[in-house]
Amino acid sequence: MQFHETELPGVGKKITFKNSEGIYTVMILHHSGKREFYYLEDDDDDEPLFSTTLTSEETKELAIKLLGSREETPEDDAYDQMSLVRKKALVNWVDIKQGSCMIERSVGSAQDLSENEVSIVAIFREDELLSKPADDVVIYEGDTLMVLGRKKAVEDFEKTCKE
């Protein structure tokens, strides 16, 4: 899959891709955390086949599902425990841009910078998703890291990535 990203000033970011069935998906990522999804038969269509909106929390939960973190339905107690963890944890996407200290650093080394308070759970690279990357996987300019950790640790990690 090939992704196309466009900045939307004052709104956020638009990401477009075409799946194997020829359906275009347009995601509008608002600064507020809201996500809009539009499904189109053709890139030039004005009217979507279907659209939906997700909150920031719903988006994070969907991302976890897509990565296969919870393949089985948890028991009620386990689900309650996971809900508590989700409220304290933050999943965020960090773009690795030119000049970042993360370029050509291994995943293990990058996680060590946060004293193992942040986990890199996936890397989006061009049209590829590397889920659960091994510690020796190298990070490159243009990668987008999906990171998980406590809010402060994730925010600190994002700042470090910009250095």
Side-chain angles (χ1 to χ4, degrees):
M1 256 190 314
Q2 201 168 30
F3 292 86
H4 300 282
E5 292 187 22
T6 307
E7 291 296 322
L8 300 174
V11 176
K13 187 183 290 188
K14 173 182 162 185
I15 299 173
T16 306
F17 64 92
K18 183 178 174 182
N19 71 12
S20 62
E21 296 175 354
I23 302 297
Y24 287 86
T25 300
V26 177
M27 297 183 291
I28 308 295
L29 313 174
H30 292 262
H31 295 300
S32 66
K34 180 173 95 172
R35 308 299 197 240
E36 294 177 66
F37 293 84
Y38 299 93
Y39 303 93
L40 311 162
E41 281 186 313
D42 189 87
D43 197 22
D44 296 328
D45 285 353
D46 291 332
E47 205 55 44
L49 298 168
F50 175 75
S51 67
T52 190
T53 302
L54 300 175
T55 65
S56 181
E57 187 62 34
E58 291 167 333
T59 303
K60 291 171 191 170
E61 203 166 314
L62 176 61
I64 289 169
K65 290 278 193 187
L66 289 172
L67 289 173
S69 295
R70 271 199 272 158
E71 294 176 7
E72 297 178 11
T73 305
E75 298 297 327
D76 289 342
D77 290 343
Y79 183 76
D80 291 343
Q81 196 171 18
M82 282 298 293
S83 294
L84 179 62
V85 169
R86 275 199 324 266
K87 288 177 185 170
K88 292 184 178 183
L90 177 66
V91 176
N92 212 350
W93 292 262
V94 180
D95 293 326
I96 304 302
K97 297 185 178 179
Q98 183 178 7
S100 171
C101 69
M102 295 296 166
I103 296 172
E104 297 196 17
R105 184 181 293 268
S106 71
V107 167
S109 172
Q111 291 176 145
D112 288 346
L113 285 177
S114 73
E115 298 177 1
N116 291 317
E117 290 190 26
V118 168
S119 295
I120 299 172
V121 296
I123 299 175
F124 296 94
R125 179 174 291 153
E126 295 176 14
D127 60 348
E128 197 176 342
L129 170 67
L130 307 171
S131 61
K132 302 177 188 174
D135 284 349
D136 62 349
V137 170
V138 176
I139 298 168
Y140 296 106
E141 180 181 335
D143 284 353
T144 299
L145 309 179
M146 182 180 196
V147 298
L148 169 69
R150 292 186 181 275
K151 184 177 181 188
K152 175 86 170 99
V154 170
E155 289 171 350
D156 290 347
F157 184 80
E158 285 182 81
K159 288 178 191 169
T160 300
C161 288
K162 292 179 181 176
E163 296 175 354

